[in-house]
Amino acid sequence: AQSVTQLGSHVSVSEGALVLLRCNYSSSVPPYLFWYVQYPNQGLQLLLKYTSAATLVKGINGFEAEFKKSETSFHLTKPSAHMSDAAEYFCAVSESGGGADGLTFGKGTHLIIQP
Amino acid sequence: DAGITQSPRYKITETGRQVTLMCHQTWSHSYMFWYRQDLGHGLRLIYYSAAADITDKGEVPDGYVVSRSKTENFPLTLESATRSQTSVYFCATRPGATPLHFGNGTRLTVT
């Protein structure tokens, strides 16, 4: 069975500092991996996805993530945090990438940006 | 505008009452999903549907019923609401091998 572990339920960084949100996955097959962002009182929006093409994936709003098979990780980074990045971030895994596979989500990481 | 509409956005109900959460999509995506979001649990899949009249259980289906008579609608019914079903409920769709698209959620409180 697939699973996702997000390390740190809350991460606090200063504006302009590096953002690093950690995600480790477990999957019996080569996975599809996703990062979603959730702003208050809204649904989840896709930030980026890994589908076995390039291991370094670039997403929206300056975020990127690197797939490391040896470490079973898919950490999310952004070089310089902005106040508007404050939100909840979810890592998710899929073993089929589509169809009835509804994704398995991590428990989320709340990103706090300090001025 | 095309997208997913969930209604109501907020609902307060009493223990034992039946309540239905609505989900409507304008894309005609084949797959639709219901998730619940709880602090400390992330999102957990309740039910999903591959097409009209085809539904299946997810991770936490107990206490919920779904139907899908039309492609665009996927209502979720709590037949006899319990306090443990207080949560934020998200509907999502997918046309095929693409990421999920989410609605804005329904915040349900069971008193």
Side-chain angles (χ1 to χ4, degrees):
Chain A
Q2 58 199 28
S3 66
V4 172
T5 301
Q6 291 184 239
L7 301 177
S9 58
H10 292 78
V11 170
S12 179
V13 303
S14 298
E15 190 174 19
L18 171 72
V19 174
L20 171 61
L21 304 183
R22 300 178 187 273
C23 172
N24 287 89
Y25 70 90
S26 173
S27 175
S28 58
V29 300
Y32 296 82
L33 294 161
F34 307 83
W35 275 100
Y36 283 84
V37 60
Q38 183 183 31
Y39 299 103
N41 297 316
Q42 294 186 25
L44 280 69
Q45 301 173 28
L46 181 68
L47 269 180
L48 50 81
K49 61 180 179 180
Y50 167 76
T51 57
S52 77
T55 57
L56 182 62
V57 181
K58 294 187 183 299
I60 62 172
N61 301 338
F63 284 93
E64 62 182 36
E66 185 174 8
F67 173 70
K68 292 187 177 180
K69 183 179 179 180
S70 61
E71 300 177 7
T72 60
S73 69
F74 190 57
H75 301 332
L76 182 71
T77 61
K78 181 174 181 178
S80 178
H82 192 272
M83 296 299 291
S84 61
D85 295 326
E88 191 83 15
Y89 291 80
F90 292 94
C91 182
V93 64
S94 167
E95 293 189 338
S96 72
D101 186 351
L103 298 186
T104 298
F105 286 86
K107 295 182 178 181
T109 297
H110 186 62
L111 178 62
I112 301 163
I113 310 297
Q114 296 180 344
Chain B
D1 288 341
I4 303 172
T5 303
Q6 290 188 239
S7 60
R9 285 298 310 274
Y10 303 92
K11 176 72 176 179
I12 300 174
T13 191
E14 294 178 343
T15 301
R17 289 192 179 270
Q18 181 181 83
V19 60
T20 296
L21 310 184
M22 303 302 295
C23 178
H24 175 79
Q25 58 144 331
T26 59
W27 290 307
S28 297
H29 289 172
S30 301
Y31 297 96
M32 297 187 74
F33 306 83
W34 275 106
Y35 285 89
R36 60 177 290 173
Q37 182 180 22
D38 304 287
L39 196 63
H41 290 278
L43 279 84
R44 293 178 291 176
L45 182 64
I46 305 171
Y47 268 96
Y48 63 94
S49 169
D53 297 322
I54 301 174
T55 63
D56 210 342
K57 297 178 180 179
E59 179 186 355
V60 288
D62 293 344
Y64 303 96
V65 175
V66 294
S67 62
R68 196 169 175 202
S69 57
K70 295 183 178 180
T71 299
E72 60 267 30
N73 296 323
F74 191 39
L76 176 73
T77 298
L78 289 67
E79 293 188 303
S80 179
T82 65
R83 289 194 180 90
S84 65
Q85 293 177 309
T86 292
S87 185
V88 181
Y89 291 85
F90 287 100
C91 179
T93 71
R94 162 194 278 163
T98 62
L100 296 176
H101 301 272
F102 284 86
N104 283 330
T106 294
R107 185 176 294 275
L108 176 68
T109 302
V110 182
T111 63

